[in-house]
Amino acid sequence: MDGASKIRTSCCIAGGGPAGMMLGFLLARAGVEVVVLEKHADFLRDFRGDTVHPSTLEVMHELGLLEEFLKLPHQEVRQLGGQIGEDFLQLADFSHLPTKCKFIALVPQWDFLDFLADHARQYPTFKLIMQAEVVDVITEGGRVTGIEARAPDENLEVRADLTIGADGRGSIVRDKSGLETQKFGAPMDVLWFRLSRKDSDGEQTLGRIVDGKMMVMLNRGDYWQCGYLIRKDEFENIKARGLEQFRNDVVSVAPFVADRTNELANWDPIKLLTVRIDRLMKWYRPGLLCIGDAAHAMSPIGGVGINLAIQDAVAAANILAERLLRNTVSLADLERVQLRRDFPTRMTQSLQIILQNNVIHRVLGNPDFRLPSVMKLFNRWPFLRRTPARIVGIGFRAEHVRTSSADHADSGD
Ligand SMILES: Cc1cc2nc3c(=O)[nH]c(=O)nc-3n(C[C@H](O)[C@H](O)[C@H](O)COP(=O)(O)OP(=O)(O)OC[C@H]3O[C@@H](n4cnc5c(N)ncnc54)[C@H](O)[C@@H]3O)c2cc1C
């Protein structure tokens, strides 16, 4: 880029979402020079999932930040259940997990990211540049050597020993670097919106399946965060049928909100999440590694996207921090990150695909859907709820913080 401001660093991270901020924090904490580029001016954006799972809370605990983190306003989900027609099913119970926190904390993603950014800024080797939109990767002799970005008043050219693509499922880094993506279909999209909550509604975070319709309701204290599932690409048809019809559909799934669906005064507060499942065949090439949604977009089933992104960041920091300090990151090191995280990603996506195709696809538009009777055993035998709790709460390969802390922040220098 002609006339661009030039920055030189060890590690340049594109994207300040959960993956990028956690990796930036962990690397800076270990003493690595790191620059994070985030295209937005702040972290306050549309709802993007609030589910901080026990695996992520365990990471916060290992970092010594858990107590402070839990001072942020949050709700704690200890069980997950589902209302399926007339039947109520308890599906997951987190109380037996071998983790410090035996619950999912519902924390707005912007609070979580602000929290990480505030802590990362305590390290002198951390730099976060907001309103810097990555537009290209710089490649020299087949190796990625940095990225180009646009900021409001200038262009930036960041040269780095290692570039990380953590810019989410629409990753420009992965597109520009020619990494190949494997795509898996999804039969549904999700409409996200809020409805106010009354104490008389009950507390439980739960899924509801009624009359061929399906909705998830997360208890966020004074409101419900609702995710209404629709068939893929149906949103325009739903809009064409009108808002009143949509409100009626919502009431038919959750009758107790009938007195407040007028809060949906127009379509603006109803946000479409186009569900996508994909993953990179190879997460890396010389000088570059992708993590989080940039490496694997997840279905919202289980609310695991944030947590997998965090786990990727922890694994990447564990494997790469020392090598970045010595500037000896090799292609084999990048491959090790993928090998470490590929298995949990594949397993989680496979389960999501099985659930999408065998439950969600069958439910949507099919009022005759009935709960298979074998599922009722979950109500009778509570121990059955431990496995779903473990898969959702911890996942398939828990990562633990192995990086050390550079002296600065601990000693209060
Ligand atoms: C509506 C919705 C609801 C969701 N619900 C849940 C849920 O309940 N639970 C859950 O776990 N997950 C949920 N997810 C998924 C979850 O948000 C992601 O899986 C998770 O945030 C992935 O983290 P990430 O850091 O990899 O990517 P992202 O969170 O997407 O972060 C990428 C970051 O990069 C920035 N960026 C993008 N392009 C550029 C660029 N060119 N230059 C600079 N910066 C850039 C973006 O602004 C963003 O800050 C939801 C997603 C959506 C959209």
Side-chain angles (χ1 to χ4, degrees), residues 95-111:
S95 63
H96 297 275
L97 289 183
T99 46
K100 176 95 178 148
C101 296
K102 297 171 194 314
F103 54 83
I104 292 175
L106 296 179
V107 182
Q109 208 182 109
W110 48 87
D111 285 350

Side-chain angles (χ1 to χ4, degrees), residues 13-21 37-40 43 45-53 109 113 132-135 149 166-173 190 192 218 271-273 291-300 302-310:
I13 300 176
M21 288 309 301
L37 301 175
E38 166 54 47
K39 72 174 174 185
H40 287 104
F43 294 119
R45 10 185 180 130
D46 287 343
F47 172 71
R48 312 233 337 127
D50 294 350
T51 52
V52 179
H53 286 202
Q109 208 182 109
L113 295 175
E133 178 170 7
V134 174
V135 291
D167 48 343
R169 58 208 211 119
S171 172
I172 187 97
V173 171
V190 184
W192 287 104
L218 305 178
K271 306 284 179 203
L272 171 70
L273 167 64
I291 59 170
D293 273 17
H296 48 74
M298 308 300 292
S299 159
V304 292
I306 298 167
N307 305 280
L308 253 85
I310 296 287

Side-chain angles (χ1 to χ4, degrees), residues 40-81:
H40 287 104
D42 55 38
F43 294 119
L44 198 61
R45 10 185 180 130
D46 287 343
F47 172 71
R48 312 233 337 127
D50 294 350
T51 52
V52 179
H53 286 202
S55 61
T56 300
L57 295 169
E58 195 70 4
V59 167
M60 301 305 261
H61 170 58
E62 289 166 359
L63 291 167
L65 298 176
L66 182 64
E67 217 173 295
E68 190 185 339
F69 181 65
L70 289 178
K71 284 187 184 144
L72 294 174
H74 70 280
Q75 285 76 42
E76 294 176 6
V77 177
R78 291 170 189 276
Q79 297 183 332
L80 293 177

Side-chain angles (χ1 to χ4, degrees), residues 97-133:
L97 289 183
T99 46
K100 176 95 178 148
C101 296
K102 297 171 194 314
F103 54 83
I104 292 175
L106 296 179
V107 182
Q109 208 182 109
W110 48 87
D111 285 350
F112 180 45
L113 295 175
D114 272 336
F115 182 89
L116 284 178
D118 286 348
H119 281 274
R121 284 193 191 97
Q122 294 173 21
Y123 296 98
T125 56
F126 179 82
K127 191 175 171 73
L128 171 62
I129 307 177
M130 303 299 285
Q131 284 185 282
E133 178 170 7

Side-chain angles (χ1 to χ4, degrees), residues 213-276:
K213 303 180 195 94
M214 196 166 182
M215 185 159 81
V216 176
M217 299 181 81
L218 305 178
N219 172 4
R220 301 309 326 277
D222 55 357
Y223 67 91
W224 292 104
Q225 181 70 51
C226 304
Y228 186 91
L229 277 71
I230 60 173
R231 281 189 186 278
K232 188 103 212 127
D233 301 330
E234 267 287 295
F235 191 33
E236 286 309 314
N237 292 342
I238 288 174
K239 275 183 170 170
R241 285 203 292 274
L243 195 57
E244 194 52 39
Q245 179 61 48
F246 179 67
R247 290 195 198 117
N248 291 340
D249 287 345
V250 170
V251 171
S252 69
V253 192
F256 65 92
V257 297
D259 56 351
R260 55 205 106 140
T261 46
N262 56 3
E263 292 167 13
L264 302 172
N266 53 53
W267 292 103
D268 291 347
I270 301 167
K271 306 284 179 203
L272 171 70
L273 167 64
T274 305
V275 175
R276 231 160 73 180

Side-chain angles (χ1 to χ4, degrees), residues 311-330:
Q311 297 278 300
D312 285 0
V314 174
N318 287 345
I319 292 170
L320 302 173
E322 276 293 313
R323 286 164 176 80
L324 278 165
L325 279 172
R326 287 185 266 118
N327 191 13
T328 58
V329 175
S330 66

